[in-house]
Amino acid sequence: MNLTRSRRAITIFGIKQRGFCTSEFSTTSTTNDNVEKDSIFISNLVSIVRGNRSWKIVFNDPFISRNLRTHHVEAVLLQTLDNSRLALRFFNFLGLHLNFNHSTGSFCLLIHALVQANLRWPASSILQTLLLLGLDTKEVFEAFLDSFSKCKFSSTSGFDLLIQNYVQSRRIFDGVVIFRLMKNSNLLPERRTLSDLLNELVRIRQFKMVVEVFDEAVNAGVKPDTYMYTPLVRSLCELKDFDMAKQMISLMESSGCDLSVRTYNVLIGWLCKNHRVHEAFEIRNNFSHRGLQADVVTYCKLVIGLCKVQELEIGVEMMNEMIEFGFVPTEAAVSSLIEGLTRKGKIQDAYDVVNKVGRIGAAPSLYAYNALINSLCRDGKLKEAESLFNNLEVKGLRPNDVTYSILIHSFCVKGEIDIALCFFGKMTRAGIKATVFPYNSLIKGYCKLRNLAAAESSFDEMISKGLMPTVVTYTSLIDGYCKEGKLQKAFRLYHEMIEKGVAPNAHTFTVLISGLCQSNMMNEAIRLFNEMVQLNVMPNEVTYNVMIEGHCREGNTAKAFALLDEMTEKGLVPDTYTYRPLISGLCSTGRVSEAKEFVDDLHRKHHKLNEICYGALLHGFCREGRLKEAFSACFDMVKRGMDVDLVCYAILIDGTLRQHDTRTCFSLLKEMRNQRLQPDNVIYTSIIDAHSKAGKFKEAFGVWDMMFSEDCMPNVVTYTALINGLCKGGFIDKARILYKEMLTSNNAPNQVTFGCFLDGLTKGGNMEEAVQLHNMLREELLANTVTYNILVRGFCKLGQIQEAASLLVEMTNNGIFPDCITYSTIVHEHCRRGHLEEAIKLWDSMLNKGLEPDSLAYNFLIYGCCVTGELERAIELRDDMMRRGLKPTPNRRSNLRQ
């Protein structure tokens, strides 16, 4: 049967059809004789159709085939409505054997007839063929309505079939159009059809339209049933109109229609989702009055809702009641309850729930176990999680990729990468294919431990296995590079991820910006921050905090405060991580009083500060020697509900030591003990360092003994501070004794420790021993620019300038590069001897190596020029120095003036 409309050719039953025209256009004006002949022709056709003659032979007659028109077929169909199967055979015969183009009217007449005869499948097939013609929805309805009036059927089932067909074909809005056209023609679809239409509108989230269609149907006279009320209640809940949803349920109850627990479950679920659990319970408690009984859906929704509002004890009761009634809880209900219990530390209760649901065959129990393992890991109870994992096999369960991923991630976060790798190996041996998630955890874990080589290896391994890195993968590795100062690698990876179509997120940009700020590359950080905004990736609080700290580190507090205003204008909330660098920035630029005003202003605006913020303020006061104001700020802390912590005490003690106020220092130590705070290595080391630098070794060793008496063991920094003081005081032998003690206490000396000995030996003129010590450092790869500079200074002090100059060559040969101090020390010695040309040669060599001379280096050479009478050259150097933003010292200016 071929059907074509508006030049569109379609294939039906495998035959390509010609254009077809409706009866409206095929009907020609005829004379009365023609009308009579037409009537006889139709009557003969009906006889043929109802008779026993072969249709194939009869309709091959040239007279019939030449004169047969669509209105003839419509008339035959109308006269065979009592036998719809016969009508269907006739319709199909014409299409298949005569290649006849049926009219829309013929389709509609046959559909109505078949539906009335309860032959819905063939009716639906014919309807689908009709809709393939691409007719306008209104045009289809008008044809259906015209055919319906001709058939004079009482039932509107054909229209129901039309709506249902649109719904099944996902043409829901066309279904709504047909409903509204029916309503305007005083026709109404069945309630089942309307409920199907409403449910499909819910599926595509057209909740407002559900309410509109429901109201229109009721106003037109449809008496809704529970199947219509259920999508309505769901839509009202989606629209957050819970009061109206309750009213609709009351209306449903008063209307006398059959009630279904499903409708109530919809409202109960939504009330629980929105933390209105007590209202949900009230509805459930009234079930018995309505002749209803809660089902598994009711119980599960209530359990999940109770977990949301932390009513865990009632949740356990509901779970037990559900199990007693023989219901098997869903995975979501079990996992919600287990997570809630473990989060509250009720591990045993969580185990009990798992065991109970396991006994009734709640499947898959692994989901619940994963939830329990995840909760234990999140609370840092990794041993318990590992024990539960080991018991899975006893329970007849096989861990899946989720189980392993949870454990691998948790151990990586804790820094126990070896255990994480052990679980990764178990997963591989169990034949479970690794996803990107455990690799992300391993890469992040390696980066956290600063093992970038292992992180890169894991990255390459996951790619070789066909896994695509995500934004988390790239960002973790970029963060690792940035923390190690390898910005070139970080940006290379950043560009690689963009090329591969992985969009960077706010965290990606933040770690890059942080890396630039840490490397004092603020201009590049600002450019990247602006690029981030241009790419529509919105900076978050952490991004702004990083930028603010970067500007404060550079001393640009004006720009930092401008960013603070910008982030608040965007609705972002500053916190203590925002305020701390601002306070430190003001203090570091000598504006401690402004920092105090800023802190007071924050308190007036009810912004909560912490000890870290106050620590920055205390450090500012102590650095300027304003101890009285520092102690006043401490009183403010206590008054505002904060405790003076160990860091704050350390800052105050350091401040008193700077003022040589030993009495206040020990008073603070006593106060700490009264507050049950134990002084740590940092505090004791700062006191020992201050005493030893002042040459008060008796007091320094007294504090040293105090440390031991309080089981606070000195570390390498403490040993080095005391050794440094002894070396500077000329007590090298005593420093050696302390060095030996240091070795026996498993505190390995570092470059600074050896530098103290070198400094003491060179100052004492003992260059032979100093060189021996330095050679040992060089062999152990501990020699650096600082240790070489100490030797250079020692040789220069003894006038052995050739030995000092030879060290420059040795440094370079050993891969250690001289700095400005190395060159300026030898330059000064040449100038002091009057060897100006040698000094200038060395100066030029320093500049050629890209080293920037400091003010002291300039002053040395200017002094040398003045002494040798090279005033013009001295003035040139003075001008060059000032162009670089450096200032001559007063005594050098006086030399220049002379």
Side-chain angles (χ1 to χ4, degrees), residues 137-153:
T137 309
K138 189 174 180 182
E139 192 177 350
V140 173
F141 175 78
E142 287 172 352
F144 257 74
L145 186 63
D146 181 59
S147 301
F148 180 72
S149 61
K150 287 178 181 177
C151 293
K152 297 180 182 178
F153 289 133

Side-chain angles (χ1 to χ4, degrees), residues 282-440:
E282 189 178 336
I283 292 169
R284 179 257 185 184
N285 292 338
N286 288 325
F287 273 11
S288 57
H289 302 304
R290 300 180 177 103
L292 298 170
Q293 188 174 357
D295 61 8
V296 66
V297 177
T298 319
Y299 278 108
C300 288
K301 287 183 182 296
L302 287 170
V303 168
I304 293 169
L306 288 164
C307 292
K308 281 183 180 293
V309 295
Q310 302 298 307
E311 295 281 359
L312 300 174
E313 289 182 7
I314 304 174
V316 172
E317 289 176 15
M318 289 299 297
M319 181 68 73
N320 292 336
E321 185 179 320
M322 176 170 32
I323 292 169
E324 284 172 15
F325 279 114
F327 294 124
V328 178
T330 61
E331 296 172 1
V334 174
S335 61
S336 293
L337 189 55
I338 288 169
E339 284 187 33
L341 289 168
T342 51
R343 198 178 294 116
K344 287 288 185 181
K346 299 183 177 182
I347 306 298
Q348 188 56 52
D349 291 341
Y351 275 117
D352 291 343
V353 171
V354 169
N355 291 331
K356 281 179 183 176
V357 299
R359 281 196 295 270
I360 63 167
S365 297
L366 180 62
Y367 188 91
Y369 273 99
N370 282 347
L372 183 52
I373 289 170
N374 187 45
S375 296
L376 288 167
C377 290
R378 194 170 52 224
D379 292 343
K381 298 175 180 177
L382 297 186
K383 285 186 178 179
E384 291 90 335
E386 196 172 355
S387 174
L388 190 61
F389 170 86
N390 293 332
N391 285 329
L392 285 177
E393 288 187 7
V394 178
K395 300 287 183 182
L397 296 170
R398 186 169 179 261
N400 59 10
D401 62 314
V402 176
T403 322
Y404 283 105
S405 293
I406 290 167
L407 289 162
I408 290 166
H409 173 75
S410 302
F411 280 108
C412 284
V413 167
K414 199 179 177 184
E416 297 184 16
I417 202 85
D418 291 339
I419 302 176
L421 284 170
C422 179
F423 277 106
F424 191 86
K426 284 182 181 179
M427 179 175 67
T428 305
R429 288 191 295 275
I432 298 171
K433 190 177 179 181
T435 63
V436 70
F437 300 107
Y439 275 108
N440 282 351

